[in-house]
Amino acid sequence: MNKLFVLTDDDNDDAELFGEAIEMIEAPVDFYHAESCRGLLEYLEDEQNKKPDVIFLDINMPEISGWQCLTDLKNNVKLKDIPVIMYTTSSSSMDKKIAFDSGALGFLTKPTDFKLLIRILDSIAKEESINLDSILKKLSSL
């Protein structure tokens, strides 16, 4: 069965690149894009929808920030176990600390290299349990 990656990001260009990268990976992955936290929560509340294997969550979004969305996910008994990777333009160590302290599984600064994004997503898709730091270290040594 295919894994499901959900990207929550209000930037449609970033979402389009993310979707194109998923199409290029070897591992079988389905993709869903939510343009907002509200859209993500609506998707997750519909029990007919498949539960994501990973949620990639942008920090800077209108209405409900990625931080508030992460808090809402981790405070929801039905959703708290879904792995969340903060997917952002930020490379701030403080943002990374906040992400982990708030329950995120990982923190990924949006790669500027499309091929690197493909390799990261492919590695995440192939892992049974996701250890983003280990994946990134392995890719940086290639």
mmCIF file of all heavy atoms in Angstrom, residues 2-8 30-55 69 73 76 79 82:
data_model
loop_
_atom_site.group_PDB
_atom_site.id
_atom_site.type_symbol
_atom_site.label_atom_id
_atom_site.label_comp_id
_atom_site.label_asym_id
_atom_site.label_seq_id
_atom_site.Cartn_x
_atom_site.Cartn_y
_atom_site.Cartn_z
ATOM 1 N N ASN A 2 0.488 2.207 -0.804
ATOM 2 C CA ASN A 2 1.256 3.438 -0.905
ATOM 3 C C ASN A 2 1.212 4.234 0.387
ATOM 4 O O ASN A 2 0.192 4.271 1.070
ATOM 5 C CB ASN A 2 0.697 4.325 -2.017
ATOM 6 C CG ASN A 2 0.929 3.771 -3.397
ATOM 7 O OD1 ASN A 2 1.384 2.648 -3.567
ATOM 8 N ND2 ASN A 2 0.610 4.558 -4.394
ATOM 9 N N LYS A 3 2.317 4.885 0.700
ATOM 10 C CA LYS A 3 2.326 5.843 1.800
ATOM 11 C C LYS A 3 1.624 7.106 1.329
ATOM 12 O O LYS A 3 1.517 7.358 0.124
ATOM 13 C CB LYS A 3 3.760 6.175 2.220
ATOM 14 C CG LYS A 3 4.428 5.051 2.980
ATOM 15 C CD LYS A 3 5.749 5.489 3.549
ATOM 16 C CE LYS A 3 6.338 4.365 4.397
ATOM 17 N NZ LYS A 3 7.616 4.751 4.988
ATOM 18 N N LEU A 4 1.161 7.893 2.283
ATOM 19 C CA LEU A 4 0.527 9.166 1.966
ATOM 20 C C LEU A 4 1.293 10.290 2.632
ATOM 21 O O LEU A 4 1.450 10.310 3.852
ATOM 22 C CB LEU A 4 -0.936 9.185 2.444
ATOM 23 C CG LEU A 4 -1.661 10.532 2.305
ATOM 24 C CD1 LEU A 4 -1.750 10.968 0.837
ATOM 25 C CD2 LEU A 4 -3.044 10.468 2.937
ATOM 26 N N PHE A 5 1.787 11.216 1.814
ATOM 27 C CA PHE A 5 2.434 12.430 2.301
ATOM 28 C C PHE A 5 1.448 13.573 2.117
ATOM 29 O O PHE A 5 0.904 13.760 1.030
ATOM 30 C CB PHE A 5 3.699 12.751 1.506
ATOM 31 C CG PHE A 5 4.888 11.865 1.786
ATOM 32 C CD1 PHE A 5 4.834 10.807 2.675
ATOM 33 C CD2 PHE A 5 6.086 12.088 1.136
ATOM 34 C CE1 PHE A 5 5.932 10.005 2.930
ATOM 35 C CE2 PHE A 5 7.203 11.304 1.369
ATOM 36 C CZ PHE A 5 7.122 10.259 2.280
ATOM 37 N N VAL A 6 1.227 14.332 3.172
ATOM 38 C CA VAL A 6 0.365 15.507 3.105
ATOM 39 C C VAL A 6 1.225 16.736 3.337
ATOM 40 O O VAL A 6 1.949 16.815 4.334
ATOM 41 C CB VAL A 6 -0.773 15.427 4.152
ATOM 42 C CG1 VAL A 6 -1.540 16.741 4.195
ATOM 43 C CG2 VAL A 6 -1.716 14.273 3.837
ATOM 44 N N LEU A 7 1.145 17.682 2.422
ATOM 45 C CA LEU A 7 1.843 18.953 2.563
ATOM 46 C C LEU A 7 0.821 20.021 2.900
ATOM 47 O O LEU A 7 -0.180 20.172 2.195
ATOM 48 C CB LEU A 7 2.561 19.331 1.262
ATOM 49 C CG LEU A 7 3.184 20.739 1.235
ATOM 50 C CD1 LEU A 7 4.337 20.849 2.222
ATOM 51 C CD2 LEU A 7 3.647 21.094 -0.175
ATOM 52 N N THR A 8 1.068 20.762 3.983
ATOM 53 C CA THR A 8 0.227 21.900 4.339
ATOM 54 C C THR A 8 1.080 23.141 4.152
ATOM 55 O O THR A 8 2.005 23.400 4.913
ATOM 56 C CB THR A 8 -0.272 21.776 5.794
ATOM 57 O OG1 THR A 8 -0.908 20.511 5.946
ATOM 58 C CG2 THR A 8 -1.256 22.884 6.112
ATOM 59 N N ASP A 30 1.423 8.498 -2.339
ATOM 60 C CA ASP A 30 0.325 9.365 -2.731
ATOM 61 C C ASP A 30 0.560 10.722 -2.074
ATOM 62 O O ASP A 30 1.219 10.813 -1.039
ATOM 63 C CB ASP A 30 -1.019 8.783 -2.283
ATOM 64 C CG ASP A 30 -1.343 7.474 -3.007
ATOM 65 O OD1 ASP A 30 -1.031 7.367 -4.205
ATOM 66 O OD2 ASP A 30 -1.893 6.568 -2.362
ATOM 67 N N PHE A 31 -0.008 11.763 -2.671
ATOM 68 C CA PHE A 31 0.240 13.126 -2.210
ATOM 69 C C PHE A 31 -1.073 13.893 -2.110
ATOM 70 O O PHE A 31 -1.918 13.815 -2.985
ATOM 71 C CB PHE A 31 1.197 13.813 -3.190
ATOM 72 C CG PHE A 31 1.374 15.284 -2.973
ATOM 73 C CD1 PHE A 31 1.880 15.767 -1.776
ATOM 74 C CD2 PHE A 31 1.051 16.198 -3.957
ATOM 75 C CE1 PHE A 31 2.058 17.134 -1.571
ATOM 76 C CE2 PHE A 31 1.222 17.560 -3.772
ATOM 77 C CZ PHE A 31 1.726 18.025 -2.570
ATOM 78 N N TYR A 32 -1.204 14.617 -1.007
ATOM 79 C CA TYR A 32 -2.344 15.515 -0.834
ATOM 80 C C TYR A 32 -1.803 16.866 -0.375
ATOM 81 O O TYR A 32 -0.938 16.925 0.495
ATOM 82 C CB TYR A 32 -3.328 14.960 0.204
ATOM 83 C CG TYR A 32 -4.510 15.872 0.430
ATOM 84 C CD1 TYR A 32 -5.572 15.896 -0.468
ATOM 85 C CD2 TYR A 32 -4.549 16.730 1.523
ATOM 86 C CE1 TYR A 32 -6.649 16.741 -0.283
ATOM 87 C CE2 TYR A 32 -5.621 17.585 1.716
ATOM 88 C CZ TYR A 32 -6.667 17.587 0.814
ATOM 89 O OH TYR A 32 -7.730 18.432 0.996
ATOM 90 N N HIS A 33 -2.330 17.941 -0.958
ATOM 91 C CA HIS A 33 -1.909 19.288 -0.584
ATOM 92 C C HIS A 33 -3.071 20.016 0.079
ATOM 93 O O HIS A 33 -4.144 20.134 -0.506
ATOM 94 C CB HIS A 33 -1.449 20.061 -1.824
ATOM 95 C CG HIS A 33 -1.200 21.507 -1.566
ATOM 96 N ND1 HIS A 33 -1.644 22.497 -2.405
ATOM 97 C CD2 HIS A 33 -0.565 22.153 -0.546
ATOM 98 C CE1 HIS A 33 -1.298 23.678 -1.928
ATOM 99 N NE2 HIS A 33 -0.636 23.498 -0.798
ATOM 100 N N ALA A 34 -2.849 20.476 1.304
ATOM 101 C CA ALA A 34 -3.798 21.340 2.002
ATOM 102 C C ALA A 34 -3.194 22.738 2.003
ATOM 103 O O ALA A 34 -2.029 22.912 2.353
ATOM 104 C CB ALA A 34 -4.033 20.849 3.425
ATOM 105 N N GLU A 35 -3.980 23.745 1.620
ATOM 106 C CA GLU A 35 -3.456 25.102 1.521
ATOM 107 C C GLU A 35 -3.438 25.842 2.856
ATOM 108 O O GLU A 35 -2.900 26.938 2.945
ATOM 109 C CB GLU A 35 -4.272 25.907 0.504
ATOM 110 C CG GLU A 35 -4.081 25.407 -0.913
ATOM 111 C CD GLU A 35 -4.810 26.243 -1.942
ATOM 112 O OE1 GLU A 35 -5.304 27.342 -1.610
ATOM 113 O OE2 GLU A 35 -4.871 25.799 -3.097
ATOM 114 N N SER A 36 -4.018 25.224 3.885
ATOM 115 C CA SER A 36 -4.087 25.881 5.191
ATOM 116 C C SER A 36 -4.242 24.826 6.274
ATOM 117 O O SER A 36 -4.573 23.674 5.996
ATOM 118 C CB SER A 36 -5.292 26.829 5.241
ATOM 119 O OG SER A 36 -6.496 26.082 5.173
ATOM 120 N N CYS A 37 -4.026 25.258 7.499
ATOM 121 C CA CYS A 37 -4.244 24.361 8.629
ATOM 122 C C CYS A 37 -5.711 23.940 8.687
ATOM 123 O O CYS A 37 -6.021 22.788 8.936
ATOM 124 C CB CYS A 37 -3.815 25.036 9.930
ATOM 125 S SG CYS A 37 -3.972 23.956 11.364
ATOM 126 N N ARG A 38 -6.583 24.893 8.438
ATOM 127 C CA ARG A 38 -8.021 24.570 8.439
ATOM 128 C C ARG A 38 -8.321 23.484 7.403
ATOM 129 O O ARG A 38 -9.047 22.536 7.670
ATOM 130 C CB ARG A 38 -8.836 25.839 8.153
ATOM 131 C CG ARG A 38 -10.327 25.618 8.239
ATOM 132 C CD ARG A 38 -11.091 26.933 8.245
ATOM 133 N NE ARG A 38 -11.029 27.499 9.604
ATOM 134 C CZ ARG A 38 -10.409 28.631 9.933
ATOM 135 N NH1 ARG A 38 -9.810 29.343 9.049
ATOM 136 N NH2 ARG A 38 -10.400 29.061 11.168
ATOM 137 N N GLY A 39 -7.714 23.609 6.211
ATOM 138 C CA GLY A 39 -7.894 22.598 5.170
ATOM 139 C C GLY A 39 -7.336 21.245 5.588
ATOM 140 O O GLY A 39 -7.931 20.201 5.309
ATOM 141 N N LEU A 40 -6.199 21.262 6.268
ATOM 142 C CA LEU A 40 -5.611 20.016 6.773
ATOM 143 C C LEU A 40 -6.538 19.358 7.780
ATOM 144 O O LEU A 40 -6.822 18.159 7.704
ATOM 145 C CB LEU A 40 -4.249 20.293 7.418
ATOM 146 C CG LEU A 40 -3.620 19.111 8.162
ATOM 147 C CD1 LEU A 40 -3.261 17.989 7.210
ATOM 148 C CD2 LEU A 40 -2.404 19.566 8.952
ATOM 149 N N LEU A 41 -7.020 20.140 8.739
ATOM 150 C CA LEU A 41 -7.887 19.583 9.780
ATOM 151 C C LEU A 41 -9.182 19.047 9.189
ATOM 152 O O LEU A 41 -9.685 17.997 9.618
ATOM 153 C CB LEU A 41 -8.147 20.617 10.871
ATOM 154 C CG LEU A 41 -6.901 21.015 11.677
ATOM 155 C CD1 LEU A 41 -7.221 22.163 12.621
ATOM 156 C CD2 LEU A 41 -6.320 19.835 12.435
ATOM 157 N N GLU A 42 -9.736 19.734 8.191
ATOM 158 C CA GLU A 42 -10.946 19.236 7.524
ATOM 159 C C GLU A 42 -10.666 17.903 6.848
ATOM 160 O O GLU A 42 -11.472 16.980 6.917
ATOM 161 C CB GLU A 42 -11.464 20.258 6.507
ATOM 162 C CG GLU A 42 -12.106 21.467 7.149
ATOM 163 C CD GLU A 42 -12.435 22.576 6.157
ATOM 164 O OE1 GLU A 42 -12.219 22.391 4.933
ATOM 165 O OE2 GLU A 42 -12.889 23.648 6.612
ATOM 166 N N TYR A 43 -9.515 17.798 6.181
ATOM 167 C CA TYR A 43 -9.128 16.543 5.539
ATOM 168 C C TYR A 43 -9.017 15.423 6.582
ATOM 169 O O TYR A 43 -9.533 14.322 6.391
ATOM 170 C CB TYR A 43 -7.795 16.701 4.795
ATOM 171 C CG TYR A 43 -7.281 15.394 4.243
ATOM 172 C CD1 TYR A 43 -7.699 14.934 2.998
ATOM 173 C CD2 TYR A 43 -6.407 14.590 4.983
ATOM 174 C CE1 TYR A 43 -7.257 13.705 2.507
ATOM 175 C CE2 TYR A 43 -5.955 13.376 4.501
ATOM 176 C CZ TYR A 43 -6.393 12.936 3.260
ATOM 177 O OH TYR A 43 -5.958 11.718 2.785
ATOM 178 N N LEU A 44 -8.339 15.719 7.692
ATOM 179 C CA LEU A 44 -8.098 14.703 8.714
ATOM 180 C C LEU A 44 -9.371 14.292 9.446
ATOM 181 O O LEU A 44 -9.482 13.158 9.909
ATOM 182 C CB LEU A 44 -7.052 15.202 9.715
ATOM 183 C CG LEU A 44 -5.650 15.417 9.147
ATOM 184 C CD1 LEU A 44 -4.769 16.103 10.171
ATOM 185 C CD2 LEU A 44 -5.034 14.122 8.670
ATOM 186 N N GLU A 45 -10.318 15.211 9.574
ATOM 187 C CA GLU A 45 -11.569 14.903 10.282
ATOM 188 C C GLU A 45 -12.493 14.008 9.463
ATOM 189 O O GLU A 45 -13.359 13.346 10.024
ATOM 190 C CB GLU A 45 -12.285 16.198 10.659
ATOM 191 C CG GLU A 45 -11.586 16.938 11.788
ATOM 192 C CD GLU A 45 -12.093 18.362 11.986
ATOM 193 O OE1 GLU A 45 -13.040 18.784 11.275
ATOM 194 O OE2 GLU A 45 -11.527 19.066 12.844
ATOM 195 N N ASP A 46 -12.309 13.967 8.149
ATOM 196 C CA ASP A 46 -13.126 13.115 7.288
ATOM 197 C C ASP A 46 -12.576 11.692 7.375
ATOM 198 O O ASP A 46 -11.510 11.393 6.844
ATOM 199 C CB ASP A 46 -13.080 13.625 5.848
ATOM 200 C CG ASP A 46 -13.998 12.839 4.916
ATOM 201 O OD1 ASP A 46 -14.395 11.693 5.257
ATOM 202 O OD2 ASP A 46 -14.316 13.372 3.840
ATOM 203 N N GLU A 47 -13.303 10.833 8.056
ATOM 204 C CA GLU A 47 -12.804 9.481 8.314
ATOM 205 C C GLU A 47 -12.700 8.621 7.064
ATOM 206 O O GLU A 47 -12.115 7.545 7.101
ATOM 207 C CB GLU A 47 -13.661 8.819 9.388
ATOM 208 C CG GLU A 47 -13.545 9.586 10.695
ATOM 209 C CD GLU A 47 -13.996 8.800 11.898
ATOM 210 O OE1 GLU A 47 -14.254 7.584 11.775
ATOM 211 O OE2 GLU A 47 -14.073 9.417 12.966
ATOM 212 N N GLN A 48 -13.254 9.096 5.949
ATOM 213 C CA GLN A 48 -13.130 8.362 4.682
ATOM 214 C C GLN A 48 -11.755 8.585 4.051
ATOM 215 O O GLN A 48 -11.330 7.806 3.209
ATOM 216 C CB GLN A 48 -14.230 8.779 3.711
ATOM 217 C CG GLN A 48 -15.606 8.363 4.182
ATOM 218 C CD GLN A 48 -16.691 8.734 3.185
ATOM 219 O OE1 GLN A 48 -16.421 9.108 2.052
ATOM 220 N NE2 GLN A 48 -17.930 8.622 3.612
ATOM 221 N N ASN A 49 -11.075 9.637 4.469
ATOM 222 C CA ASN A 49 -9.744 9.921 3.939
ATOM 223 C C ASN A 49 -8.706 9.061 4.633
ATOM 224 O O ASN A 49 -8.804 8.784 5.831
ATOM 225 C CB ASN A 49 -9.389 11.401 4.130
ATOM 226 C CG ASN A 49 -10.211 12.305 3.239
ATOM 227 O OD1 ASN A 49 -10.618 11.923 2.151
ATOM 228 N ND2 ASN A 49 -10.467 13.508 3.705
ATOM 229 N N LYS A 50 -7.706 8.664 3.875
ATOM 230 C CA LYS A 50 -6.604 7.882 4.422
ATOM 231 C C LYS A 50 -5.797 8.748 5.393
ATOM 232 O O LYS A 50 -5.540 9.922 5.144
ATOM 233 C CB LYS A 50 -5.718 7.409 3.267
ATOM 234 C CG LYS A 50 -4.548 6.556 3.711
ATOM 235 C CD LYS A 50 -3.705 6.121 2.523
ATOM 236 C CE LYS A 50 -2.487 5.369 3.010
ATOM 237 N NZ LYS A 50 -1.556 5.078 1.931
ATOM 238 N N LYS A 51 -5.387 8.139 6.486
ATOM 239 C CA LYS A 51 -4.543 8.830 7.462
ATOM 240 C C LYS A 51 -3.141 8.990 6.876
ATOM 241 O O LYS A 51 -2.565 8.033 6.352
ATOM 242 C CB LYS A 51 -4.495 7.999 8.745
ATOM 243 C CG LYS A 51 -3.722 8.617 9.870
ATOM 244 C CD LYS A 51 -3.803 7.716 11.099
ATOM 245 C CE LYS A 51 -2.844 8.150 12.168
ATOM 246 N NZ LYS A 51 -2.861 7.233 13.310
ATOM 247 N N PRO A 52 -2.583 10.200 6.942
ATOM 248 C CA PRO A 52 -1.243 10.419 6.374
ATOM 249 C C PRO A 52 -0.172 9.629 7.115
ATOM 250 O O PRO A 52 -0.260 9.419 8.331
ATOM 251 C CB PRO A 52 -0.999 11.915 6.577
ATOM 252 C CG PRO A 52 -2.303 12.508 6.927
ATOM 253 C CD PRO A 52 -3.150 11.423 7.503
ATOM 254 N N ASP A 53 0.845 9.218 6.375
ATOM 255 C CA ASP A 53 2.025 8.618 6.987
ATOM 256 C C ASP A 53 2.939 9.705 7.523
ATOM 257 O O ASP A 53 3.637 9.501 8.505
ATOM 258 C CB ASP A 53 2.761 7.748 5.970
ATOM 259 C CG ASP A 53 1.941 6.526 5.603
ATOM 260 O OD1 ASP A 53 1.920 5.576 6.397
ATOM 261 O OD2 ASP A 53 1.284 6.550 4.546
ATOM 262 N N VAL A 54 2.924 10.864 6.853
ATOM 263 C CA VAL A 54 3.709 12.021 7.274
ATOM 264 C C VAL A 54 2.970 13.289 6.851
ATOM 265 O O VAL A 54 2.448 13.359 5.738
ATOM 266 C CB VAL A 54 5.110 12.062 6.624
ATOM 267 C CG1 VAL A 54 5.927 13.241 7.151
ATOM 268 C CG2 VAL A 54 5.880 10.776 6.824
ATOM 269 N N ILE A 55 2.964 14.276 7.744
ATOM 270 C CA ILE A 55 2.476 15.607 7.403
ATOM 271 C C ILE A 55 3.683 16.531 7.346
ATOM 272 O O ILE A 55 4.467 16.594 8.300
ATOM 273 C CB ILE A 55 1.472 16.132 8.450
ATOM 274 C CG1 ILE A 55 0.211 15.272 8.464
ATOM 275 C CG2 ILE A 55 1.126 17.604 8.179
ATOM 276 C CD1 ILE A 55 -0.743 15.586 9.620
ATOM 277 N N CYS A 69 -0.956 25.076 14.305
ATOM 278 C CA CYS A 69 -1.464 23.848 13.691
ATOM 279 C C CYS A 69 -0.796 22.619 14.313
ATOM 280 O O CYS A 69 -1.466 21.633 14.631
ATOM 281 C CB CYS A 69 -1.210 23.901 12.183
ATOM 282 S SG CYS A 69 -2.080 22.642 11.243
ATOM 283 N N LEU A 73 -2.658 19.624 16.305
ATOM 284 C CA LEU A 73 -2.511 18.212 15.948
ATOM 285 C C LEU A 73 -2.065 17.379 17.150
ATOM 286 O O LEU A 73 -2.608 16.302 17.414
ATOM 287 C CB LEU A 73 -1.492 18.052 14.815
ATOM 288 C CG LEU A 73 -1.910 18.566 13.440
ATOM 289 C CD1 LEU A 73 -0.705 18.585 12.500
ATOM 290 C CD2 LEU A 73 -3.025 17.715 12.861
ATOM 291 N N ASN A 76 -4.705 16.667 19.817
ATOM 292 C CA ASN A 76 -5.870 15.898 19.379
ATOM 293 C C ASN A 76 -5.560 14.411 19.522
ATOM 294 O O ASN A 76 -4.638 13.899 18.883
ATOM 295 C CB ASN A 76 -6.196 16.257 17.931
ATOM 296 C CG ASN A 76 -7.444 15.585 17.413
ATOM 297 O OD1 ASN A 76 -7.640 14.385 17.568
ATOM 298 N ND2 ASN A 76 -8.297 16.371 16.776
ATOM 299 N N LEU A 79 -5.168 12.452 16.330
ATOM 300 C CA LEU A 79 -4.189 12.893 15.342
ATOM 301 C C LEU A 79 -2.764 12.980 15.873
ATOM 302 O O LEU A 79 -1.816 13.092 15.096
ATOM 303 C CB LEU A 79 -4.595 14.272 14.796
ATOM 304 C CG LEU A 79 -6.017 14.394 14.247
ATOM 305 C CD1 LEU A 79 -6.309 15.831 13.851
ATOM 306 C CD2 LEU A 79 -6.224 13.439 13.078
ATOM 307 N N ILE A 82 0.358 11.074 14.316
ATOM 308 C CA ILE A 82 0.794 11.257 12.930
ATOM 309 C C ILE A 82 2.118 12.031 12.940
ATOM 310 O O ILE A 82 2.198 13.116 13.519
ATOM 311 C CB ILE A 82 -0.258 12.037 12.107
ATOM 312 C CG1 ILE A 82 -1.594 11.295 12.080
ATOM 313 C CG2 ILE A 82 0.261 12.267 10.677
ATOM 314 C CD1 ILE A 82 -2.731 12.094 11.447
#
